[in-house]
Amino acid sequence: MGLEQVKKEIIDNATKTADAILVEAKQEAEKIFDETKKTALEERKKADTHTSDLLLTLERREIAAAEFDARKMMLDAKKELIDEAMKQAAQKVMSWNGKKRESVMNTLTEKAKKDLDLAIIAANPKDKTYVKGFSFEEADIQAGMIGRTKDGRVSVDYSVDEMLQTIRSNNLAEIGKVLFE
């Protein structure tokens, strides 16, 4: 065998080996590319699912916040209406004059006498004429009265503002039914 033939055989073997290595490398590269593509698709699906879940969560939060705000606005509006109704009731009571006002003062005086040893009645100056048999003190109230014992240590507040506040606190559900149903 000559040198040329050995050289040719070595080159052929090297070429065959190189071709085999290239084919194997190409197959390995395709396999890696396919796996990478598959992994990328899986990661994209995971990311899409995660994004979808985040969007759903965000949407639910936004809806819940909007519903909360709507309920709060509704409650605020109802509170304003109740406040206005109470204000109108107070104005109506405060507009009473003459016999009606005297009758209310007498009823409140009798109630105060039952609740304490009544000695002093504090009321609006225009109610002074309706206070008989008790000391009178001027009070910064629109209507009604505040009854006190002689020493002033015990008192009852039957002012219109206080009575309406008590009515509101104790009967809020019923007031709401009347106004909103």
Side-chain angles (χ1 to χ4, degrees), residues 128-148:
K128 184 175 184 174
T129 58
Y130 310 126
V131 175
K132 296 177 177 92
F134 300 98
S135 293
F136 179 83
E137 291 180 359
E138 286 188 16
D140 188 22
I141 58 175
Q142 297 296 315
M145 51 130 5
I146 300 170
R148 294 191 184 101

Side-chain angles (χ1 to χ4, degrees), residues 78-122:
K78 285 180 177 182
K79 181 188 176 298
E80 286 181 31
L81 288 172
I82 289 171
D83 289 346
E84 183 60 29
M86 298 306 280
K87 181 179 172 186
Q88 288 178 10
Q91 288 173 344
K92 181 158 181 83
V93 169
M94 288 182 251
S95 70
W96 290 342
N97 287 316
K99 292 284 182 195
K100 182 69 173 174
R101 201 162 177 117
E102 182 178 12
S103 173
V104 169
M105 285 299 289
N106 289 337
T107 301
L108 294 177
T109 300
E110 290 303 313
K111 181 164 177 44
K113 283 175 24 181
K114 290 177 186 175
D115 293 340
L116 56 93
D117 185 19
L118 185 62
I120 303 166
I121 293 177

Side-chain angles (χ1 to χ4, degrees), residues 131-168:
V131 175
K132 296 177 177 92
F134 300 98
S135 293
F136 179 83
E137 291 180 359
E138 286 188 16
D140 188 22
I141 58 175
Q142 297 296 315
M145 51 130 5
I146 300 170
R148 294 191 184 101
T149 57
K150 190 172 188 169
D151 61 8
R153 294 190 331 187
V154 180
S155 66
V156 288
D157 189 344
Y158 294 137
S159 64
V160 168
D161 289 337
E162 184 63 29
M163 288 187 291
L164 286 174
Q165 186 60 37
T166 301
I167 290 168
R168 178 186 179 142

